[in-house]
Amino acid sequence: QNAQDSSPPLLIRNTTMRNIAALLRLLFSCLCCVVGVLSAYDDVPTKKADHPKMNPKPKLPEVTHYVYLDIEYIWGDNPHYSSLSMKKDWNVYQELHREKAKSLNIKYDDEKTRFTDRIVLGLFGTVAPKTVENFLGLIRCDKGKGKYTGEELCLKGTSFHRIVRHLLLQGGDFSHADGTGGESIYGGYFEDEAFAVDFKKPYLLAMANNGQSDTNGSQFFITVSKMRWLDGKNVVFGRVMDRFDAVDYVECFGTFSGEPQREVKIVDCGELDESEVNLEISSVY
């Protein structure tokens, strides 16, 4: 009887002690949270954050020479599309040509229509004088025949043998027309001058090489997108100054493998005076 009477008060006491212990743990946890918040508040900045610093807009070197490439291509049947995006680009290309047909020099050859367009380039003679002089010699066509190829050192009559979609237009192979030939006006290859300009922008003019340094000849390429993986590997010596749309038209004939769907030929080339260049358009670029 005595044991039965004493058991309920003992159970109550044990339950009360457990509740008190749980309450103390809860209070201790709350106290730790308060201390943590107060200590963290000391590290909260009270001043307005500064605007993030962006990399400055890349500036290109001074243009010292202006040259042009008159290109000709046949607008015949629609080219083969390897993707829906290529078909869309081609349709845009056709529509733009319909709108500009009056301003273009259109020649009719049986059932094919030949279009002539002009790409205007500016050369960076201050950062790559030897490379610019080589390109000018190929533009002027006044250096005679090559020492090794025996062909005229001239871009007139050559074609863009490699056109890679969304990347580049490559030409300048006057001896083989497939990317394996050509040579500089100095005979064979000449060395890289400086990598002062990175491929941070599209529409740049650069020297092509055989994958190794100091192998510049007569081949060049025009970019249509950023190509940062070529920084320090290919010398940039110029930029497109006018007719960016002409470069985009030619890119429509390209493929992802680089084999052109149409022959794009350089029918004429030469130098221009600064007064003949639309600098207002080039300044927007």
Side-chain angles (χ1 to χ4, degrees), residues 70-88:
D70 283 345
I71 56 175
E72 182 182 78
Y73 40 92
I74 296 176
W75 181 20
D77 298 331
N78 289 1
H80 170 70
Y81 315 123
S82 63
S83 67
L84 292 177
S85 63
M86 290 181 65
K87 183 175 182 179
K88 181 180 178 182

Side-chain angles (χ1 to χ4, degrees), residues 157-255:
T158 63
S159 61
F160 285 95
H161 60 271
R162 182 169 176 247
I163 305 175
V164 184
R165 291 287 294 167
H166 310 306
L167 283 183
L168 57 85
L169 290 57
Q170 184 172 335
D173 185 353
F174 54 77
S175 61
H176 292 75
D178 60 2
T180 61
E183 68 174 301
S184 71
I185 64 172
Y186 311 111
Y189 297 138
F190 67 97
E191 68 280 359
D192 298 326
E193 284 190 275
F195 302 107
V197 182
D198 292 332
F199 290 84
K200 294 180 179 180
K201 287 186 171 188
Y203 304 110
L204 295 177
L205 175 65
M207 291 299 296
N209 54 38
N210 64 5
Q212 299 178 357
S213 58
D214 301 330
T215 55
N216 300 296
S218 59
Q219 295 187 44
F220 65 93
F221 62 91
I222 300 172
T223 66
V224 294
S225 64
K226 298 179 181 180
M227 302 176 66
R228 297 304 305 275
W229 61 90
L230 296 182
D231 291 349
K233 298 179 181 179
N234 294 76
V235 178
V236 178
F237 66 98
R239 54 169 287 197
V240 178
M241 300 296 297
D242 198 359
R243 293 313 307 271
F244 302 96
D245 53 347
V247 177
D248 295 335
Y249 295 159
V250 175
E251 192 231 340
C252 289
F253 296 123
T255 60

